Amino acid sequence: MLIWQESYFQSNPDTVRGDIAHQAVDRGGTLTGRAGARVWRSLPVHNDRLGMHGICDTVHLSADGPVPVEHKSGGYRPGGPADLQVAAQVLCLREMFGRPIPHGEVFAGRTRRRYTVTVDAALEAVVADSVEQLRQQIADPQLPPPVNDARCKRCSLQPGCIPEIAGHSRIDLFAPRPVGDHD
C-alpha cells in the first residue's frame, strides 16, 4: 500500500536482482521455446469478471493451450505469493481464451526449475477474495498498520514503513519515561 497510496519505493539488492533477472522477459515479443512452444514475453492480460489486469512474464502456448510462467529470481515457496500471482494470471487467460487452463508455473531462479501451480476452485476463491480486499484497502485513505514480522528484514519498503513502531502511537513513542525505565 505504500507504493500505491504514498508513491514510496526504495530499491534494495533483492529488487535490483529481480530487475536484472527480468530484463529478458520485460523486452516483450515472441520466441520459440521448449518442444516448439511459442512463448510470449510480457503479455498483457485481464479478467473483466474480477476486474483485474496485469502482465504475464511469459506465456507458453503449446497444443495443450496457454500456460503462464511467473519468473522469480529467488526460491519458490509452495502456497506463497507467487502461487497467488500465477493463479490470477491463469484466471485472466481462461477468460481471454475462453478455455480451461488447469495450471500455471513458477520459475525459480535459485533452483533453475519450474513448479506447477494447479488452479482449482479453492485457489480461485482466494484470488477473488484477495482482489476484493485489495480494492477495499485502495479505497481506504488510511494505510494499514505494518505487520512487523520476519518478512520485514529484507523488505525494500522497510525504511519508509518503519515496522518496528507498529502498535505504538506517536504519544507512546515520545512520552517522557520515568528515570531508570530502559529497554
Side-chain angles (χ1 to χ4, degrees):
M1 295 309 297
L2 277 174
I3 296 170
W4 180 262
Q5 289 181 316
E6 301 288 328
S7 299
Y8 177 82
F9 183 80
Q10 186 168 337
S11 293
N12 71 5
D14 293 329
T15 62
V16 170
R17 186 181 70 231
D19 289 345
I20 291 168
H22 258 256
Q23 287 177 346
V25 297
D26 289 344
R27 280 192 285 254
T30 62
L31 53 99
T32 303
R34 295 192 223 181
R38 181 172 212 85
V39 178
W40 288 306
R41 296 183 295 200
S42 294
L43 180 69
V45 294
H46 63 87
N47 182 299
D48 293 333
R49 181 179 62 83
L50 293 174
M52 64 180 178
H53 62 90
I55 298 175
C56 294
D57 289 341
T58 60
V59 175
H60 298 242
L61 185 62
S62 67
D64 296 332
V67 175
V69 179
E70 179 61 29
H71 294 245
K72 298 296 181 190
S73 60
Y76 171 70
R77 186 170 45 93
D83 284 8
L84 193 64
Q85 188 174 3
V86 81
Q89 295 169 7
V90 165
L91 297 178
C92 288
L93 291 169
R94 283 179 184 171
E95 184 176 282
M96 291 171 61
F97 282 83
R99 64 183 289 180
I101 300 170
H103 73 276
E105 296 176 352
V106 176
F107 173 79
R110 185 173 296 141
T111 58
R112 308 283 310 153
R113 61 179 286 235
R114 292 185 191 185
Y115 300 87
T116 299
V117 178
T118 300
V119 183
D120 57 12
L123 186 52
E124 185 173 347
V126 172
V127 171
D129 184 57
S130 297
V131 168
E132 183 53 35
Q133 287 181 34
L134 181 59
R135 198 171 272 119
Q136 290 172 10
Q137 284 183 347
I138 289 170
D140 187 348
Q142 187 169 352
L143 288 172
V147 293
N148 197 20
D149 65 15
R151 296 172 292 180
C152 298
K153 186 184 283 186
R154 295 186 60 172
C155 179
S156 69
L157 303 180
Q158 195 274 343
C161 175
I162 317 170
E164 60 275 9
I165 65 170
H168 296 285
S169 70
R170 184 170 176 78
I171 295 167
D172 291 333
L173 291 173
F174 297 102
R177 293 177 149 184
V179 177
D181 185 18
H182 302 285
D183 290 340

